[in-house]
Amino acid sequence: MTNQKTNDFKEIVRGRRSIKNYDPSVKISREEMEEILELAATAPSSVNMQPWRFLVIESPEGKAALAPLARFNQNQVETSAAMIAVFGDLQNFDKFEDIYGKAVEEGHMPQEVKENIHKSFSGYFETISREDMEDVVLVDGGLVSMQLMLAARAYGYDTNPIGGYEKDQIAEVFGLDKDRFVPVMLISIGKAADTGHTSVRLPVDQIAQWK
Ligand SMILES: Cc1cc2nc3c(=O)[nH]c(=O)nc-3n(C[C@H](O)[C@H](O)[C@H](O)COP(=O)(O)O)c2cc1C
């Protein structure tokens, strides 16, 4: 009944459902979780700054700290292998050198192109308002979250995206700077214990227009 490992793209996408009950005896190894996160993080992002940061909450202590912040989603907190808190780092430009330096080192880009990118974007990153940067990291954070949920299915796990939690408290409770790390969503992940519910989608003629 439960989801098996698969590389069938349509099965991964069409078979995804929000799962809220997991087999609590199934944990996800550090190695496997790192593979899932690495795959998720191939998502595109603004200026390739990859502003997503993940807090993998899997220990009983971590879950106990999270539980009061996710009041209507207790089942996922209790039964999942882990709850992944996705954040957007407003100071993502700090990693410019890590990303573009490596691109040069690995021969994907000449040094001169890297310097030009730095020149064109350093002013933008210095002057962008907090509100605008929040918009950027929320868009990028949404893309990586979707990829994470699909990557999870490829590894035989299921997920539930969760917006119902205390976003104003989560960073501080886990010792992160709340002025820097913007909460995107929580994602529960684990081995499904039920099949979830089929949900309806609007037909394409109601969601798209052609001009
Ligand atoms: C941003 C976001 C926030 C959500 N928050 C919750 C939540 O707090 N609790 C919950 O049980 N489901 C939550 N969901 C799951 C949606 O209810 C679910 O994705 C939707 O009903 C479609 O069902 P499906 O995911 O099974 O296709 C959320 C989904 C998204 C994208």
Side-chain angles (χ1 to χ4, degrees), residues 93-151:
F93 196 61
D94 288 0
K95 298 234 184 264
F96 181 89
E97 192 52 44
D98 291 317
I99 296 165
Y100 283 88
K102 194 168 179 200
V104 172
E105 202 182 291
E106 292 186 350
H108 308 308
M109 169 184 299
Q111 174 74 14
E112 194 193 323
V113 171
K114 174 193 138 182
E115 279 162 17
N116 286 338
I117 295 172
H118 192 274
K119 228 179 279 160
S120 3
F121 284 104
S122 53
Y124 160 80
F125 279 96
E126 266 162 36
T127 55
I128 188 171
S129 68
R130 184 191 164 93
E131 204 182 30
D132 286 348
M133 185 49 90
E134 279 185 5
D135 285 348
V136 169
V137 303
L138 287 174
V139 170
D140 293 348
L143 293 171
V144 83
S145 296
M146 187 70 249
Q147 290 222 143
L148 203 167
M149 292 186 273
L150 298 180

Side-chain angles (χ1 to χ4, degrees), residues 16-18 20 73 76 160-164 185 197 199 201:
R16 187 206 56 77
R17 286 176 187 174
S18 286
K20 302 168 197 205
N73 296 286
Q76 298 94 313
N160 182 197
I162 294 172
M185 68 181 79
H197 300 284
S199 55
R201 291 299 184 270

Side-chain angles (χ1 to χ4, degrees), residues 19 22 76 80 82-84 158-162 186-190:
I19 296 294
Y22 304 91
Q76 298 94 313
S80 62
M83 299 291 294
I84 303 177
D158 278 282
T159 56
N160 182 197
I162 294 172
L186 281 177
I187 300 174
S188 56
I189 179 169

